Amino acid sequence: MNSIWLSIVLGGLSMLAKETGITVFLLNVAYDTYRNWPALKRTMQDMRWSEETHQFGRRVSRVLLSMGVLLAVRLALLQGSLPRFSQQDNPTAFHPNLYVRLLTFCYLAAFNWWLLLCPSTLSHDWQMGSIPLVTTLSDPRNLLTFIAFGAALLFVFRGLMDCEHQRHVPVVLGFLLLVLPFLPATNLVVTVGFVVAERVLYIPSMGCLILVVYGAQRLWERLDARLRRPFLLLTIVLLAAGCLKTIARNQDWSSREALLRSGLKTLPHNAKMHYNFGNFLRDSSRPEPAIAHYREALRLWPTYASAHNNIGTLMPQFATAEYHFREAIKYASEHINAHYNLGQLYRKSNRTSDAIRMLERCIQLEPLFTAAYLELVKLYGGQPEAAGRLLARVVRLNPYNADLRRQYGDWLMEQNMLLEAFKQYQEGIKIMETHQLSVIGACRCLRKMGQQSRLHQMVLRWQFIVRLSNGGIPIQNDIYLRDWSIKHELRNRAMIYDSGSSSSSSSGSSSGSGGTSSSSTNTGTGSTIVNGDSGPTTTEDTGSIKDCSKINCRKQTNTQHPAEPAEISIRILRTPHCNRSEHIPSSLKACKLAAASAPPTTANSAAPEPPSTHNGKGSGKTKKWSKSRHKPKRQQPSGTTALDPNGAPLAAPLLVSNLLDKL
């Protein structure tokens, strides 16, 4: 029982790989019937079912039911209709004369069986006129047909005569494996899309091997001792010839060019071979020989639409290219590439109306053809609404294409719809984090909206992602210097002030009454300068810095002992790749800093003015860091390498000047 279900499962899997796998169920039923024929014969004679026949009936019913279910599933996958083929796929099936079709199909079956016995003529493609039609009985190829079908009748007769005693089981099994899996490829049940296909001979080859080996065994048993040595020598020669043919065929499949050349050598009268080799030459930037092979394909098959289309793409003259594209559309009215190429040709010739007509026809034939939409967008330059609808549809059809998102964002930004454009750029960055064009477009949107802080944040984030994608380390000891350089390039340099802040002149308190603690947070740039908290925070008015510089604002401070110098760190922009802080050089750690908090800004406002603090004398002047504090370290000699505190070499700063030039 388990073997039956295992056979059903394996048969279903074989059907998913190739449709001929469904014939395994018929093979099982036929072979089971042959093996149980004596019991079935007794049941028919006695008119009484035995236990053996009951088991046989249950097995056959399960197999046939499973085959019906799998056939229904297969038809459902084909949406209830069989595939359609063209005349160039199988010319015999489209011949109007039934007599010619029957003779040719019978010869094709015999030719396939001959390939199993003597695979001297092999090709990867047998379409079109690879095998000429058999039109009369006087054709010498009919001799092979008569021999093949005569041998098949002898095997059938031998199997029927052996049903009772079953002395030649390998003959029956081999013949069933040879014939039943090949039935779908004979064009007798359904029309197939090929003339000869070596891939449908995999299962029949097992039957051929069984018949050949069993026949050789029976012949060896009947031969005299004198004839066994020549027979053994002949067998060795045949095996050696098969091995050499396998090696030669493997060489043919070693590359695309070798395979196509072997096909041309085997079937020089096949138009498909010349067409395929012309495609290879065109892809190899050899247009002249490609045109020659396309012309040969058209000579062998004048209605070859794809050959007309491809040769049209290589024609430099407008009239010649247009002729071939129109011929392709004439012989194949639904040829999508021919319509698209003709539309391209009209667009380059400034025939806008004809180009639009061809591209719209191309979209009617294939609604998912993205290239046609993009070409129509170029032609709808004076109709921005129509172009926008096309781009929106392209984005819906290809939601995971960063380039299309970027193009749609560019169009939205041209229409001054900055928020929608920024959303498209963000989607493109989500799809591909290192998509530079989307990053540039998003930065342009942020600059137009005046959001300088988010602009700096995005550029810095992109730099980290690019460095990670290149295998670098995003956090180094020189991160503060790189952050300072980026701020300077974006004209949003952070101002850091001295920590010797004192109370306002109106309060009358002494400058040494106590130390205040503050923290300066630059949220717009993606980095934070943190000063250690040494006491309760001061309470300030929420007015602007400009107003506080003119009016004596009363401040109350809590008196306490000065705190120890706090460690200054820079919080790196939080990204999926890094979420930790890196310290600035030790030369800056001894500085006592206090930064005044900046006033809140809206999302569309520009970057805030640098905060200012009053000194102890109330002069209103601000104290910046001296240039010596920003002075870089002395350049080391050329023979040495700069090292970080851990002894590792410092990586070169990753600047964004190239990106900023494009902004």
Side-chain angles (χ1 to χ4, degrees):
M1 186 64 65
N2 294 332
S3 60
I4 296 176
W5 291 112
L6 179 61
S7 176
I8 292 173
V9 171
L10 294 178
L13 293 176
S14 66
M15 188 201 68
L16 295 177
K18 191 61 183 174
E19 292 83 354
T20 54
I22 198 68
T23 58
V24 174
F25 295 96
L26 296 177
L27 175 65
N28 289 340
V29 172
Y31 185 68
D32 199 4
T33 303
Y34 168 75
R35 296 295 290 172
N36 290 275
W37 177 251
L40 294 175
K41 185 178 179 180
R42 287 194 301 269
T43 299
M44 289 186 293
Q45 291 176 352
D46 299 341
M47 300 297 293
R48 185 168 57 89
W49 287 81
S50 62
E51 181 63 25
E52 191 174 358
T53 54
H54 273 292
Q55 293 179 0
F56 170 77
R58 285 193 292 268
R59 289 196 302 269
V60 171
S61 61
R62 288 190 180 95
V63 171
L64 292 179
L65 181 61
S66 302
M67 185 180 69
V69 172
L70 290 174
L71 280 176
V73 171
R74 182 60 182 171
L75 289 176
L77 293 177
L78 294 175
Q79 298 180 355
S81 62
L82 295 176
R84 295 182 301 173
F85 304 104
S86 61
Q87 184 179 2
Q88 66 185 25
D89 297 328
N90 191 354
T92 307
F94 290 87
H95 197 277
N97 195 333
L98 177 61
Y99 174 72
V100 174
R101 292 202 304 270
L102 183 61
L103 289 178
T104 306
F105 285 149
C106 292
Y107 170 72
L108 290 178
F111 181 77
N112 278 276
W113 293 338
W114 174 250
L115 285 180
L116 292 175
L117 291 175
C118 182
S120 59
T121 305
L122 297 177
S123 176
H124 68 281
D125 199 326
W126 292 84
Q127 289 184 354
M128 296 189 174
S130 300
I131 298 180
L133 300 177
V134 180
T135 57
T136 60
L137 282 175
S138 60
D139 195 315
R141 292 177 294 175
N142 289 323
L143 180 61
L144 179 62
T145 304
F146 294 148
I147 294 174
F149 280 88
L153 291 176
L154 289 177
F155 279 118
V156 171
F157 177 76
R158 185 66 175 177
L160 293 177
M161 295 299 295
D162 194 54
C163 285
E164 186 69 27
H165 303 287
Q166 298 186 1
R167 291 174 297 183
H168 302 285
V169 176
V171 174
V172 177
L173 179 60
F175 182 73
L176 292 176
L177 281 171
L178 179 66
V179 174
L180 290 181
F182 184 72
L183 282 178
T186 59
N187 288 275
L188 299 177
V189 181
V190 293
T191 302
V192 296
F194 52 85
V195 179
V196 176
E198 299 168 7
R199 61 183 178 273
V200 301
L201 299 178
Y202 294 149
I203 301 178
S205 64
M206 294 189 294
C208 182
L209 286 175
I210 293 174
L211 291 175
V212 170
V213 172
Y214 184 73
Q217 179 185 357
R218 299 289 295 179
L219 186 61
W220 178 268
E221 293 173 354
R222 296 186 179 185
L223 284 177
D224 296 335
R226 296 175 301 173
L227 298 177
R228 287 187 176 184
R229 185 180 297 273
F231 180 77
L232 183 60
L233 181 61
L234 179 61
T235 303
I236 294 174
V237 170
L238 290 176
L239 290 176
C243 293
L244 293 177
K245 182 63 177 179
T246 302
I247 294 174
R249 194 58 181 162
N250 289 339
Q251 293 296 325
D252 293 338
W253 283 88
S254 60
S255 64
R256 180 187 177 190
E257 182 178 5
L259 182 62
L260 294 175
R261 289 189 181 276
S262 67
L264 278 176
K265 183 179 179 180
T266 304
L267 301 173
H269 55 281
N270 187 350
K272 185 71 174 291
M273 292 297 174
H274 291 277
Y275 169 77
N276 288 335
F277 195 65
N279 290 339
F280 168 75
L281 294 174
R282 185 191 61 177
D283 297 340
S284 303
S285 301
R286 289 183 279 178
E288 295 301 328
I291 292 174
H293 281 278
Y294 285 142
R295 293 190 186 279
E296 180 65 17
L298 291 175
R299 185 188 68 82
L300 295 171
W301 198 273
T303 61
Y304 201 171
S306 296
H308 276 292
N309 174 72
N310 287 13
I311 197 175
T313 60
L314 299 177
M315 292 290 106
Q317 299 85 6
F318 172 82
T320 309
E322 183 185 16
Y323 165 76
H324 284 290
F325 290 145
R326 287 193 172 277
E327 287 294 305
I329 296 174
K330 174 184 175 182
Y331 296 123
S333 59
E334 297 183 356
H335 201 289
I336 301 173
N337 291 334
H339 286 87
Y340 175 76
N341 290 331
L342 187 57
Q344 285 275 68
L345 185 66
Y346 286 151
R347 183 182 66 83
K348 294 177 181 178
S349 303
N350 295 327
R351 295 172 58 175
T352 305
S353 59
D354 294 334
I356 291 176
R357 179 169 52 85
M358 285 297 167
L359 292 173
E360 288 178 348
R361 172 61 178 165
C362 185
I363 292 175
Q364 290 177 1
L365 295 174
E366 180 54 58
L368 302 179
F369 196 21
T370 304
Y373 288 101
L374 298 180
E375 292 300 325
L376 279 176
V377 169
K378 297 177 183 178
L379 295 173
Y380 286 159
Q383 305 177 23
E385 295 182 358
R389 287 195 299 268
L390 289 176
L391 285 173
R393 186 173 182 181
V394 169
V395 170
R396 288 196 300 270
L397 294 176
N398 303 273
Y400 301 106
N401 192 317
D403 291 325
L404 296 179
R405 293 274 185 182
R406 191 266 309 169
Q407 293 186 33
Y408 188 35
D410 291 344
W411 180 86
L412 291 172
M413 191 163 60
E414 290 177 359
Q415 306 303 317
N416 204 24
M417 292 185 282
L418 300 180
L419 185 58
E420 290 80 0
F422 184 71
K423 290 180 180 179
Q424 295 298 326
Y425 291 133
Q426 278 188 322
E427 291 296 328
I429 296 172
K430 289 180 182 178
I431 297 170
M432 184 185 300
E433 290 184 337
T434 57
H435 196 253
Q436 184 176 1
L437 295 178
S438 296
V439 175
I440 292 174
C443 291
R444 287 174 177 171
C445 285
L446 292 175
R447 187 180 64 181
K448 285 188 176 182
M449 290 188 293
Q451 299 186 15
Q452 301 296 333
S453 59
R454 295 184 65 186
L455 173 62
H456 172 266
Q457 196 176 56
M458 176 166 288
V459 173
L460 186 61
R461 176 188 175 91
W462 183 79
Q463 285 293 313
F464 287 152
I465 293 174
V466 170
R467 185 156 188 164
L468 278 175
S469 64
N470 294 333
I473 302 175
I475 302 175
Q476 297 291 337
N477 289 335
D478 62 339
I479 188 66
Y480 175 75
L481 298 179
R482 288 193 283 113
D483 184 63
W484 181 88
S485 176
I486 293 172
K487 293 176 188 177
H488 177 72
E489 291 171 352
L490 294 174
R491 294 172 178 81
N492 192 25
R493 177 178 175 183
M495 305 299 294
I496 306 175
Y497 298 93
D498 197 1
S499 61
S501 176
S502 61
S503 60
S504 62
S505 58
S506 60
S507 62
S509 60
S510 61
S511 60
S513 60
T516 60
S517 66
S518 61
S519 62
S520 175
T521 304
N522 189 355
T523 60
T525 61
S527 61
T528 305
I529 309 299
V530 181
N531 193 6
D533 193 358
S534 59
T537 58
T538 61
T539 304
E540 299 182 2
D541 293 336
T542 59
S544 64
I545 297 176
K546 183 177 180 181
D547 295 335
C548 289
S549 63
K550 297 180 180 179
I551 303 174
N552 293 329
C553 300
R554 184 178 183 86
K555 300 180 181 179
Q556 296 179 356
T557 59
N558 295 329
T559 303
Q560 61 181 9
H561 296 286
E564 295 294 331
E567 187 180 81
I568 303 174
S569 64
I570 295 179
R571 184 177 303 163
I572 307 304
L573 173 66
R574 295 183 181 270
T575 66
H577 306 288
C578 59
N579 189 13
R580 56 198 180 110
S581 299
E582 188 70 24
H583 301 294
I584 63 176
S586 58
S587 60
L588 300 178
K589 291 183 179 180
C591 300
K592 297 179 180 180
L593 304 179
S597 59
T601 58
T602 61
N604 295 327
S605 63
E609 294 291 330
S612 61
T613 57
H614 299 285
N615 56 11
K617 299 179 181 180
S619 61
K621 296 182 180 180
T622 61
K623 289 185 178 181
K624 302 180 182 178
W625 279 3
S626 63
K627 294 183 179 180
S628 60
R629 295 182 179 180
H630 289 288
K631 186 176 181 180
K633 294 182 179 181
R634 182 177 301 174
Q635 185 176 3
Q636 296 184 1
S638 58
T640 61
T641 303
L643 301 176
D644 61 4
N646 297 327
L650 288 174
L654 186 61
L655 301 180
V656 293
S657 57
N658 295 334
L659 180 64
L660 294 175
D661 292 340
K662 298 181 180 181
L663 294 178

